[in-house]
Amino acid sequence: MEVWRPERNHLENSNVAKYMSIHGFKTLEEFIAYTYEKPDEFWASFDREILRLRWYEEYGKVLDLSRGVQWPRWFVGGRINIADQLDDSADPLVKWEGEDGTTAIWSYSEVLYKARAVASWLKRNGLEKGDRVAVFMPMVPEIVPVMLGAIRAGGIIVPLFSGFGKEAIRVRLEDSEAKFVFASDVSYRRGKEIDMLSELKAGLTQSVRHVVVHERAGRPSGYVPLSDVFRTGGDYVERASSEDPVMIIYTSGTTGKPKGTVHTHDGFPIKAAADVYFHFDIGRGDTLSWVTDMGWMMGPWMVFAAYLLRGSMAFFEGAPDYPKDRLWRFVERFRVKSLGLAATLTRYLRSIGASAEPGQLDRLEAFGNTGEPIDVESWLWLYKMGRGRIPIINYSGGTEISGGILGCYVVKPIKPSSFNGASIGTKAAVFAEDGRPAPPGVEGELVVLSVWPGMTRGFWRDPQRYLDTYWSKWPGVWAHGDAAMVDQDGYFYILGRADDTIKVAGKRLGPAEIETVLNAHPAVAESACIGVPHEVKGEVPICFVVLKPGYEPSEALRRELIKLTEEALGKAFGAVEDIKFVKMLPKTRNAKIMRRVIRAVYLGRNPGDLSALENPDAIEEIKRAV
């Protein structure tokens, strides 16, 4: 099987290679250990040597663990505003493409001017330090100075997924008690104009005092136009403490209301920048792009990392396959160095034959994968499309992490679907159910045995829920909820969510193991497997399969796919109880399959929070199949 291997340039000139050389590290493992064993030394060096942050008052101590590992404090005593790091230069910061092909490039200077105006307008209109500012906008250039301006003013941004409906908006505005909302009146996707303002109006809560609207459709909204805010000028900036909150970003759970993860000036942005610098090799003048929405962590992650590293960010509005080759033309047009996408999007592009044309990827130096495990077939598709030159940086962590627990580095070979090391600052391990490290090749739960600046500072106004979610399984151990495995060579593999894990006759089986087999079949575009109760085996796998164009469901194909899983995984262990053919799977906007929703619908239960769902019609599709 193919393995990506570093070339001389990676081993000598990549960011991680140069840092290791300067600091005298002989091996990647030695470097990673340093980042978590001596966090005070490492994070101080990252700040002073690479980021060179502008501190109003220097911190006296990098790390304070006096409240326990659950509540570390970083850069103690420092005063900073993480949005006040913009250079007043003509270098490009934002590169954007609309679905109709229009483009925009905004310099650091232009973004800085607009961010200053937003901050000053907010302050003049009653924003007090710590007030929440919700942002309900699609991926348009204006969203960057809006977010940075709100932070500059001392506000806490609350990014909202641009596809949210009124109830999802209401719940988050109510929970955060947002005082200000910046919104767009419409967005554009697959050639259609989508009314965002009506959803916002229906979801507004009593806490909201001011609404600012980015008017795109040529129809006055009745609210303050964003263009007027940008023209107001001003230069206000709040000198915040390092641990002051900068963002509340919500994640959805199986039950209960969404969790508002709290992040600080010295946390999420710095961890994001470190991951992008060491994993994705982005530095001054380089272009980072991720197929995402600002309501998902990868959106703010891209913004903070790109500008703190003095690079640029490239993003687009609309669907990546509209037209089919859009993504690759976009990469070529904006000279993207590192492109991130979800495994589901990769599988979809593969299924419709959306390969890059010769020359389109000549400037691309890394693919990124996050959101869920990437199957071997999709990994190999990217590998071959990059002609073996472009590494696939598998990257997994979460909103509560501010980036990765696991990643890949370009100074070490990368096996298909693997992570070749723990991410920056994290001591990762895989624990068995007894709380001890699982042997190589044995599935367990991914845990973290260190602290890092990007840790969420708890859930908004619900610290106990944070402790119960991550710290209650084993004392002093962050249990992340991902099912994972480490092989004999020390490479990590994510097998799915721990709560997605299927336990057949006492044996744990990750859904990705079955899905990888199914997705390798020439008729299969993608699949999702769930575990359902069985009176003898405890649980059995049920799989939902989307076929490629030109293939039709049949009993013969169903039996063929079941047999394929038996042959690949063993009849007792990998036998699929049933396969259901569907036209689509329920996904989030960043193409993450919502298996918990499939399982709930299959079992006739309440699927919980559906606000993150991109395609509600998939629910009815699952119901019909069942």
Side-chain angles (χ1 to χ4, degrees), residues 290-291 320-321 327-328 339-355 367-370 372-385 392-394 519 524-526 548 587 590-592:
W290 215 273
V291 182
D321 64 330
L327 183 59
W328 313 124
L339 170 71
L341 58 169
T344 305
L345 177 56
T346 302
R347 285 195 294 269
Y348 173 71
L349 294 173
R350 176 169 64 92
S351 73
I352 64 173
S355 298
F367 288 111
N369 174 75
T370 195
E372 63 177 318
I374 183 168
D375 56 279
V376 173
E377 290 297 319
S378 297
W379 190 97
L380 289 172
W381 184 73
L382 288 176
Y383 176 84
K384 291 172 183 175
M385 193 159 55
I392 296 132
I393 308 299
N394 216 3
N519 294 343
V524 176
E526 60 182 350
K548 293 178 181 177
K587 300 174 186 175
N590 64 343
K592 189 173 182 178

Side-chain angles (χ1 to χ4, degrees), residues 256-287:
K257 67 180 182 180
K259 307 183 293 285
T261 61
V262 179
H263 293 287
T264 58
H265 283 261
D266 63 349
F268 189 109
I270 292 176
K271 165 65 171 168
D275 285 6
V276 168
Y277 185 81
F278 289 107
H279 291 301
F280 297 96
D281 206 36
I282 294 292
R284 183 179 290 272
D286 294 332
T287 300

Side-chain angles (χ1 to χ4, degrees), residues 335-624:
R335 299 183 177 184
V336 173
K337 182 177 182 180
S338 186
L339 170 71
L341 58 169
T344 305
L345 177 56
T346 302
R347 285 195 294 269
Y348 173 71
L349 294 173
R350 176 169 64 92
S351 73
I352 64 173
S355 298
E357 296 295 326
Q360 287 184 316
L361 304 183
D362 284 356
R363 293 180 179 272
L364 189 69
E365 295 186 22
F367 288 111
N369 174 75
T370 195
E372 63 177 318
I374 183 168
D375 56 279
V376 173
E377 290 297 319
S378 297
W379 190 97
L380 289 172
W381 184 73
L382 288 176
Y383 176 84
K384 291 172 183 175
M385 193 159 55
R387 302 189 305 278
R389 176 185 66 84
I390 303 173
I392 296 132
I393 308 299
N394 216 3
Y395 182 64
S396 183
T399 305
E400 303 88 337
I401 305 296
S402 303
I405 295 174
L406 301 174
C408 290
Y409 300 84
V410 297
V411 293
K412 180 179 179 180
I414 302 173
K415 298 180 183 181
S417 307
S418 74
F419 304 84
N420 67 9
S423 191
I424 300 301
T426 59
K427 183 179 182 180
V430 175
F431 272 14
E433 290 185 5
D434 61 4
R436 299 177 183 179
V442 176
E443 183 180 319
E445 183 167 345
L446 181 66
V447 299
V448 184
L449 307 175
S450 62
V451 294
W452 64 100
M455 288 170 58
T456 179
R457 303 316 194 258
F459 298 151
W460 181 247
R461 293 177 175 169
D462 197 351
Q464 190 57 49
R465 189 181 181 192
Y466 159 69
L467 295 174
D468 292 343
T469 301
Y470 294 108
W471 297 99
S472 61
K473 196 162 188 177
W474 298 292
V477 174
W478 177 291
H480 193 59
D482 278 339
M485 179 191 74
V486 181
D487 71 9
Q488 295 285 350
D489 300 319
Y491 286 70
F492 287 83
Y493 296 83
I494 297 290
L495 305 175
R497 287 293 296 172
D499 50 10
D500 286 339
T501 300
I502 306 163
K503 201 164 187 178
V504 183
K507 300 181 182 71
R508 292 162 62 92
L509 180 66
E513 295 179 74
I514 309 174
E515 293 164 9
T516 295
V517 174
L518 292 172
N519 294 343
H521 191 280
V524 176
E526 60 182 350
S527 61
C529 296
I530 60 170
V532 301
H534 188 275
E535 60 182 2
V536 175
K537 299 180 180 179
E539 279 190 325
V540 291
I542 301 289
C543 298
F544 292 78
V545 169
V546 178
L547 297 178
K548 293 178 181 177
Y551 293 90
E552 293 295 330
S554 68
E555 179 61 19
L557 180 56
R558 188 185 73 85
R559 289 197 300 267
E560 181 183 345
L561 292 174
I562 291 175
K563 185 178 180 182
L564 190 66
T565 63
E566 293 174 358
E567 291 173 347
L569 301 171
K571 189 169 184 177
F573 187 62
V576 172
E577 184 75 3
D578 197 7
I579 284 179
K580 308 287 187 181
F581 294 104
V582 293
K583 295 179 181 178
M584 68 182 81
L585 298 171
K587 300 174 186 175
T588 62
R589 172 64 66 88
N590 64 343
K592 189 173 182 178
I593 296 172
M594 300 183 76
R595 291 175 187 81
R596 68 167 179 83
V597 171
I598 298 174
R599 189 172 192 270
V601 172
Y602 184 92
L603 297 175
R605 297 173 181 169
N606 186 333
D609 179 19
L610 295 177
S611 58
L613 192 61
E614 155 80 352
N615 52 345
D617 290 346
I619 299 295
E620 295 304 315
E621 187 72 7
I622 299 297
K623 287 180 179 179
R624 284 193 291 269

Side-chain angles (χ1 to χ4, degrees), residues 62-65 67 71-77 243 266 457:
V62 175
L63 175 61
D64 176 10
L65 290 173
R67 296 173 62 200
W71 305 104
R73 295 171 62 233
W74 292 87
F75 303 97
V76 182
E243 284 286 301
D266 63 349
R457 303 316 194 258

Side-chain angles (χ1 to χ4, degrees), residues 184-361:
S184 293
D185 55 357
V186 298
S187 62
Y188 299 96
R189 190 171 179 85
R190 298 194 183 281
K192 297 180 180 179
E193 183 179 283
I194 300 168
D195 182 359
M196 295 178 65
L197 193 56
S198 293
E199 297 295 336
L200 175 66
K201 287 179 179 178
L204 285 176
T205 56
Q206 291 184 345
S207 66
V208 177
R209 299 182 187 176
H210 299 278
V211 176
V212 178
V213 174
H214 176 212
E215 296 175 339
R216 311 178 71 198
R219 300 183 293 272
S221 66
Y223 295 110
V224 178
L226 179 59
S227 56
D228 287 357
V229 173
F230 282 159
R231 285 193 291 265
T232 60
D235 191 19
Y236 182 79
V237 62
E238 178 75 30
R239 297 196 169 200
S241 295
S242 58
E243 284 286 301
D244 281 342
V246 71
M247 177 172 65
I248 301 169
I249 188 162
Y250 284 86
T251 64
S252 297
T254 305
T255 59
K257 67 180 182 180
K259 307 183 293 285
T261 61
V262 179
H263 293 287
T264 58
H265 283 261
D266 63 349
F268 189 109
I270 292 176
K271 165 65 171 168
D275 285 6
V276 168
Y277 185 81
F278 289 107
H279 291 301
F280 297 96
D281 206 36
I282 294 292
R284 183 179 290 272
D286 294 332
T287 300
L288 171 69
S289 182
W290 215 273
V291 182
T292 186
D293 186 275
M294 209 58 73
W296 307 136
M297 66 148 286
M298 298 308 293
W301 177 93
M302 174 176 60
V303 171
F304 285 126
Y307 103 86
L308 289 180
L309 293 171
R310 275 63 175 182
S312 61
M313 65 196 83
F315 53 83
F316 54 81
E317 182 181 14
D321 64 330
Y322 190 82
K324 187 168 76 170
D325 65 342
R326 181 189 187 188
L327 183 59
W328 313 124
R329 290 192 292 102
F330 170 83
V331 168
E332 181 181 31
R333 167 182 277 180
F334 290 119
R335 299 183 177 184
V336 173
K337 182 177 182 180
S338 186
L339 170 71
L341 58 169
T344 305
L345 177 56
T346 302
R347 285 195 294 269
Y348 173 71
L349 294 173
R350 176 169 64 92
S351 73
I352 64 173
S355 298
E357 296 295 326
Q360 287 184 316
L361 304 183

